[in-house]
Amino acid sequence: MLIKVKRGWELPESAATPEDIYLNRRQIVKALGIAPAIAASASVLPAGMAMAVTTDKDPSVRLYPVPRNEKFTLDRPITAESDATSYNNFSEFGSHKQISHAAQQLQIRPWNIIIDGMVEKEFEIGVDDLLKQVKLEERLYRHRCVEAWAMAVPWSGFQMSELVKLAKPLSGAKYIAMQTILASKREMPGLRQFWYPWPYQEGLTMEEANNELAFLVTGMYGKPVRPQNGAPIRLAVPWKYGFKSIKSVIRFTFTDEKPKTFWEALQPAEYGFWANVNPEVDHPRWSQASEWLLGGPQSERVPTQLYNGYTEFVAHIYPPDASDIYFR
Ligand SMILES: Nc1nc2c(c(=O)[nH]1)N[C@H]1C(S)=C(S)[C@@H](COP(=O)(O)O)O[C@H]1N2
Ligand SMILES: [Mo]
């Protein structure tokens, strides 16, 4: 049995895209009839096999692809899937862009989400049960990292307002604080960076969370979202810099206090709570006037758009004279 596994790995690396490798490993696990629990044991299979097993165990795989909501259009080509899934920011796995391999160690099932704070009744729900209660759709969204790279991704998921409805917030709730899973340092080696204020946390006002654009992502490119992109559930708020779009969320807390966010705690002068994309407000260390598209050269710049091009959806939320550094 194990000899067959080895043969699968002998695919010439040059002939295999990451997708091919992934499918190949899945098929091997299936063909051998190895129970995922056994296959997941590192002592039985070569390192990296866990990649296939993690995704193979994803019970949401049958839900995709989902119908596209045509309301959300792009002014640029969709980023190649291979770029969007191999150039990532996910500090829990390391402070560099090549974390996609390490992220396959993240155990994405079982995955319980806690809804607590100022709600009628606090509860916990498994992500697959949550998926049964919402309308899944695909949306093409731009994504703009504060570091000035940008991409365009077909996300699948559901409007965040649906989660708010399920949560039944009390009338006094003004914000939603969100938290990323704090897994073991073996699963998330980036947690060894002890100077970071773990866990990763983010927050939105209730008005922002209920905005039509605020989207909870559970899939991408017609498949379940990958661990490196924030499986099994992450946020997409495309009018804000990418760090607001928190990954691998386990908790939504409704509160009347402005949440402390990870980057704000670390460097308040550089990363504010609002973080609305604004070409006229430079980062203290670089210009935000232009951006480059993932897959292309960094030297090829396109102009940054106010609210990342989503003014019609969100401008009414923000007072025009606000003074916050990313605020307008
Ligand atoms: N938990 C967590 N969420 C996170 C981050 C992170 O480091 N940890 N990085 C953020 C940043 S800076 C960006 S640009 C996006 C990147 O998402 P992507 O890798 O899917 O492109 O995730 C955001 N969400
Ligand atoms: Mo980012």
Side-chain angles (χ1 to χ4, degrees), residues 61-84:
V61 73
R62 268 176 241 101
L63 299 177
Y64 305 98
V66 292
R68 180 175 295 177
N69 183 338
E70 301 288 352
K71 182 165 185 181
F72 305 96
T73 54
L74 296 174
D75 57 348
R76 56 193 67 180
I78 292 176
T79 302
E81 183 176 359
S82 56
D83 288 321

mmCIF file of all heavy atoms in Angstrom, residues 61-84:
data_model
loop_
_atom_site.group_PDB
_atom_site.id
_atom_site.type_symbol
_atom_site.label_atom_id
_atom_site.label_comp_id
_atom_site.label_asym_id
_atom_site.label_seq_id
_atom_site.Cartn_x
_atom_site.Cartn_y
_atom_site.Cartn_z
ATOM 1 N N VAL A 61 -17.356 20.457 0.248
ATOM 2 C CA VAL A 61 -16.869 20.420 -1.129
ATOM 3 C C VAL A 61 -18.013 20.263 -2.138
ATOM 4 O O VAL A 61 -17.992 20.828 -3.225
ATOM 5 C CB VAL A 61 -15.774 19.326 -1.282
ATOM 6 C CG1 VAL A 61 -16.347 17.917 -1.251
ATOM 7 C CG2 VAL A 61 -14.965 19.545 -2.541
ATOM 8 N N ARG A 62 -19.068 19.575 -1.751
ATOM 9 C CA ARG A 62 -20.206 19.339 -2.658
ATOM 10 C C ARG A 62 -21.056 20.588 -2.899
ATOM 11 O O ARG A 62 -21.894 20.608 -3.781
ATOM 12 C CB ARG A 62 -21.110 18.253 -2.060
ATOM 13 C CG ARG A 62 -20.772 16.852 -2.521
ATOM 14 C CD ARG A 62 -21.648 15.831 -1.804
ATOM 15 N NE ARG A 62 -20.810 14.923 -1.034
ATOM 16 C CZ ARG A 62 -20.614 14.989 0.271
ATOM 17 N NH1 ARG A 62 -21.214 15.935 0.974
ATOM 18 N NH2 ARG A 62 -19.841 14.134 0.883
ATOM 19 N N LEU A 63 -20.878 21.605 -2.078
ATOM 20 C CA LEU A 63 -21.729 22.798 -2.192
ATOM 21 C C LEU A 63 -21.330 23.698 -3.363
ATOM 22 O O LEU A 63 -22.106 24.556 -3.783
ATOM 23 C CB LEU A 63 -21.643 23.632 -0.904
ATOM 24 C CG LEU A 63 -22.098 22.965 0.388
ATOM 25 C CD1 LEU A 63 -21.871 23.912 1.571
ATOM 26 C CD2 LEU A 63 -23.566 22.583 0.301
ATOM 27 N N TYR A 64 -20.117 23.518 -3.884
ATOM 28 C CA TYR A 64 -19.583 24.431 -4.899
ATOM 29 C C TYR A 64 -19.516 23.759 -6.258
ATOM 30 O O TYR A 64 -19.398 22.549 -6.322
ATOM 31 C CB TYR A 64 -18.191 24.908 -4.463
ATOM 32 C CG TYR A 64 -18.221 25.525 -3.097
ATOM 33 C CD1 TYR A 64 -17.862 24.783 -1.971
ATOM 34 C CD2 TYR A 64 -18.645 26.838 -2.919
ATOM 35 C CE1 TYR A 64 -17.917 25.339 -0.694
ATOM 36 C CE2 TYR A 64 -18.702 27.400 -1.634
ATOM 37 C CZ TYR A 64 -18.334 26.651 -0.538
ATOM 38 O OH TYR A 64 -18.392 27.203 0.712
ATOM 39 N N PRO A 65 -19.562 24.540 -7.339
ATOM 40 C CA PRO A 65 -19.706 25.997 -7.378
ATOM 41 C C PRO A 65 -21.128 26.463 -7.075
ATOM 42 O O PRO A 65 -22.069 25.689 -7.169
ATOM 43 C CB PRO A 65 -19.332 26.349 -8.821
ATOM 44 C CG PRO A 65 -19.628 25.113 -9.602
ATOM 45 C CD PRO A 65 -19.402 23.955 -8.678
ATOM 46 N N VAL A 66 -21.244 27.736 -6.698
ATOM 47 C CA VAL A 66 -22.550 28.329 -6.389
ATOM 48 C C VAL A 66 -22.839 29.430 -7.419
ATOM 49 O O VAL A 66 -21.917 29.918 -8.068
ATOM 50 C CB VAL A 66 -22.550 28.912 -4.953
ATOM 51 C CG1 VAL A 66 -22.468 27.788 -3.930
ATOM 52 C CG2 VAL A 66 -21.417 29.909 -4.751
ATOM 53 N N PRO A 67 -24.110 29.810 -7.589
ATOM 54 C CA PRO A 67 -24.447 30.811 -8.622
ATOM 55 C C PRO A 67 -23.773 32.163 -8.358
ATOM 56 O O PRO A 67 -23.666 32.587 -7.199
ATOM 57 C CB PRO A 67 -25.969 30.954 -8.508
ATOM 58 C CG PRO A 67 -26.447 29.885 -7.611
ATOM 59 C CD PRO A 67 -25.288 29.329 -6.865
ATOM 60 N N ARG A 68 -23.353 32.794 -9.444
ATOM 61 C CA ARG A 68 -22.700 34.101 -9.316
ATOM 62 C C ARG A 68 -23.739 35.219 -9.212
ATOM 63 O O ARG A 68 -24.703 35.237 -9.947
ATOM 64 C CB ARG A 68 -21.795 34.360 -10.523
ATOM 65 C CG ARG A 68 -21.081 35.693 -10.458
ATOM 66 C CD ARG A 68 -20.099 35.870 -11.603
ATOM 67 N NE ARG A 68 -19.004 34.895 -11.533
ATOM 68 C CZ ARG A 68 -18.047 34.797 -12.461
ATOM 69 N NH1 ARG A 68 -18.062 35.600 -13.512
ATOM 70 N NH2 ARG A 68 -17.092 33.899 -12.342
ATOM 71 N N ASN A 69 -23.517 36.139 -8.271
ATOM 72 C CA ASN A 69 -24.317 37.351 -8.187
ATOM 73 C C ASN A 69 -23.665 38.380 -9.121
ATOM 74 O O ASN A 69 -22.577 38.872 -8.839
ATOM 75 C CB ASN A 69 -24.337 37.857 -6.744
ATOM 76 C CG ASN A 69 -25.221 39.081 -6.571
ATOM 77 O OD1 ASN A 69 -25.493 39.798 -7.529
ATOM 78 N ND2 ASN A 69 -25.663 39.316 -5.348
ATOM 79 N N GLU A 70 -24.356 38.689 -10.216
ATOM 80 C CA GLU A 70 -23.756 39.517 -11.275
ATOM 81 C C GLU A 70 -23.674 40.992 -10.912
ATOM 82 O O GLU A 70 -23.143 41.801 -11.674
ATOM 83 C CB GLU A 70 -24.546 39.352 -12.589
ATOM 84 C CG GLU A 70 -24.614 37.919 -13.125
ATOM 85 C CD GLU A 70 -23.286 37.411 -13.695
ATOM 86 O OE1 GLU A 70 -22.339 38.217 -13.812
ATOM 87 O OE2 GLU A 70 -23.209 36.196 -13.995
ATOM 88 N N LYS A 71 -24.188 41.341 -9.756
ATOM 89 C CA LYS A 71 -24.169 42.752 -9.356
ATOM 90 C C LYS A 71 -22.740 43.279 -9.141
ATOM 91 O O LYS A 71 -22.484 44.468 -9.286
ATOM 92 C CB LYS A 71 -24.967 42.888 -8.058
ATOM 93 C CG LYS A 71 -25.082 44.305 -7.554
ATOM 94 C CD LYS A 71 -26.155 44.433 -6.499
ATOM 95 C CE LYS A 71 -26.331 45.900 -6.114
ATOM 96 N NZ LYS A 71 -27.346 46.075 -5.081
ATOM 97 N N PHE A 72 -21.842 42.371 -8.805
ATOM 98 C CA PHE A 72 -20.496 42.795 -8.434
ATOM 99 C C PHE A 72 -19.540 42.531 -9.589
ATOM 100 O O PHE A 72 -19.214 41.381 -9.885
ATOM 101 C CB PHE A 72 -20.064 42.093 -7.147
ATOM 102 C CG PHE A 72 -21.066 42.314 -6.045
ATOM 103 C CD1 PHE A 72 -22.059 41.382 -5.780
ATOM 104 C CD2 PHE A 72 -21.060 43.496 -5.319
ATOM 105 C CE1 PHE A 72 -23.013 41.603 -4.795
ATOM 106 C CE2 PHE A 72 -22.010 43.731 -4.330
ATOM 107 C CZ PHE A 72 -22.985 42.780 -4.068
ATOM 108 N N THR A 73 -19.138 43.616 -10.242
ATOM 109 C CA THR A 73 -18.345 43.492 -11.464
ATOM 110 C C THR A 73 -16.924 44.010 -11.231
ATOM 111 O O THR A 73 -16.660 44.742 -10.282
ATOM 112 C CB THR A 73 -18.994 44.285 -12.604
ATOM 113 O OG1 THR A 73 -19.197 45.626 -12.159
ATOM 114 C CG2 THR A 73 -20.337 43.683 -13.003
ATOM 115 N N LEU A 74 -16.040 43.625 -12.114
ATOM 116 C CA LEU A 74 -14.628 43.981 -11.988
ATOM 117 C C LEU A 74 -14.204 44.905 -13.128
ATOM 118 O O LEU A 74 -14.800 44.900 -14.193
ATOM 119 C CB LEU A 74 -13.755 42.725 -12.030
ATOM 120 C CG LEU A 74 -13.923 41.722 -10.891
ATOM 121 C CD1 LEU A 74 -13.087 40.475 -11.170
ATOM 122 C CD2 LEU A 74 -13.516 42.352 -9.567
ATOM 123 N N ASP A 75 -13.123 45.648 -12.890
ATOM 124 C CA ASP A 75 -12.533 46.490 -13.926
ATOM 125 C C ASP A 75 -11.176 45.921 -14.345
ATOM 126 O O ASP A 75 -10.348 46.597 -14.912
ATOM 127 C CB ASP A 75 -12.322 47.901 -13.373
ATOM 128 C CG ASP A 75 -11.446 47.890 -12.128
ATOM 129 O OD1 ASP A 75 -11.210 46.794 -11.571
ATOM 130 O OD2 ASP A 75 -10.982 48.972 -11.718
ATOM 131 N N ARG A 76 -10.939 44.669 -14.002
ATOM 132 C CA ARG A 76 -9.637 44.037 -14.233
ATOM 133 C C ARG A 76 -9.859 42.537 -14.312
ATOM 134 O O ARG A 76 -10.885 42.041 -13.839
ATOM 135 C CB ARG A 76 -8.686 44.368 -13.081
ATOM 136 C CG ARG A 76 -9.232 43.966 -11.727
ATOM 137 C CD ARG A 76 -8.470 44.565 -10.565
ATOM 138 N NE ARG A 76 -8.623 46.016 -10.500
ATOM 139 C CZ ARG A 76 -8.061 46.796 -9.574
ATOM 140 N NH1 ARG A 76 -7.308 46.270 -8.639
ATOM 141 N NH2 ARG A 76 -8.238 48.088 -9.574
ATOM 142 N N PRO A 77 -8.923 41.813 -14.929
ATOM 143 C CA PRO A 77 -9.114 40.370 -15.023
ATOM 144 C C PRO A 77 -9.070 39.692 -13.645
ATOM 145 O O PRO A 77 -8.436 40.220 -12.716
ATOM 146 C CB PRO A 77 -7.939 39.893 -15.883
ATOM 147 C CG PRO A 77 -7.029 41.043 -16.068
ATOM 148 C CD PRO A 77 -7.680 42.275 -15.567
ATOM 149 N N ILE A 78 -9.729 38.551 -13.549
ATOM 150 C CA ILE A 78 -9.648 37.746 -12.334
ATOM 151 C C ILE A 78 -8.205 37.279 -12.171
ATOM 152 O O ILE A 78 -7.560 36.867 -13.133
ATOM 153 C CB ILE A 78 -10.605 36.540 -12.436
ATOM 154 C CG1 ILE A 78 -12.060 37.029 -12.415
ATOM 155 C CG2 ILE A 78 -10.358 35.531 -11.310
ATOM 156 C CD1 ILE A 78 -13.091 35.913 -12.599
ATOM 157 N N THR A 79 -7.690 37.383 -10.977
ATOM 158 C CA THR A 79 -6.329 36.926 -10.671
ATOM 159 C C THR A 79 -6.255 35.408 -10.849
ATOM 160 O O THR A 79 -7.194 34.696 -10.500
ATOM 161 C CB THR A 79 -5.984 37.300 -9.216
ATOM 162 O OG1 THR A 79 -6.120 38.721 -9.090
ATOM 163 C CG2 THR A 79 -4.576 36.875 -8.832
ATOM 164 N N ALA A 80 -5.141 34.933 -11.384
ATOM 165 C CA ALA A 80 -4.968 33.481 -11.537
ATOM 166 C C ALA A 80 -5.095 32.813 -10.171
ATOM 167 O O ALA A 80 -4.539 33.291 -9.179
ATOM 168 C CB ALA A 80 -3.601 33.178 -12.142
ATOM 169 N N GLU A 81 -5.816 31.708 -10.149
ATOM 170 C CA GLU A 81 -6.019 30.982 -8.890
ATOM 171 C C GLU A 81 -4.674 30.624 -8.249
ATOM 172 O O GLU A 81 -4.509 30.708 -7.036
ATOM 173 C CB GLU A 81 -6.837 29.719 -9.172
ATOM 174 C CG GLU A 81 -7.157 28.931 -7.929
ATOM 175 C CD GLU A 81 -8.050 27.720 -8.206
ATOM 176 O OE1 GLU A 81 -8.423 27.508 -9.375
ATOM 177 O OE2 GLU A 81 -8.344 26.997 -7.250
ATOM 178 N N SER A 82 -3.727 30.249 -9.091
ATOM 179 C CA SER A 82 -2.418 29.845 -8.549
ATOM 180 C C SER A 82 -1.727 31.012 -7.839
ATOM 181 O O SER A 82 -0.989 30.801 -6.878
ATOM 182 C CB SER A 82 -1.538 29.276 -9.661
ATOM 183 O OG SER A 82 -1.417 30.218 -10.708
ATOM 184 N N ASP A 83 -1.961 32.251 -8.292
ATOM 185 C CA ASP A 83 -1.370 33.408 -7.605
ATOM 186 C C ASP A 83 -2.106 33.704 -6.299
ATOM 187 O O ASP A 83 -1.480 33.923 -5.266
ATOM 188 C CB ASP A 83 -1.415 34.645 -8.510
ATOM 189 C CG ASP A 83 -0.421 34.559 -9.662
ATOM 190 O OD1 ASP A 83 0.702 34.057 -9.426
ATOM 191 O OD2 ASP A 83 -0.768 34.958 -10.787
ATOM 192 N N ALA A 84 -3.437 33.692 -6.356
ATOM 193 C CA ALA A 84 -4.227 34.042 -5.164
ATOM 194 C C ALA A 84 -4.052 33.015 -4.047
ATOM 195 O O ALA A 84 -4.293 33.329 -2.879
ATOM 196 C CB ALA A 84 -5.707 34.168 -5.534
#
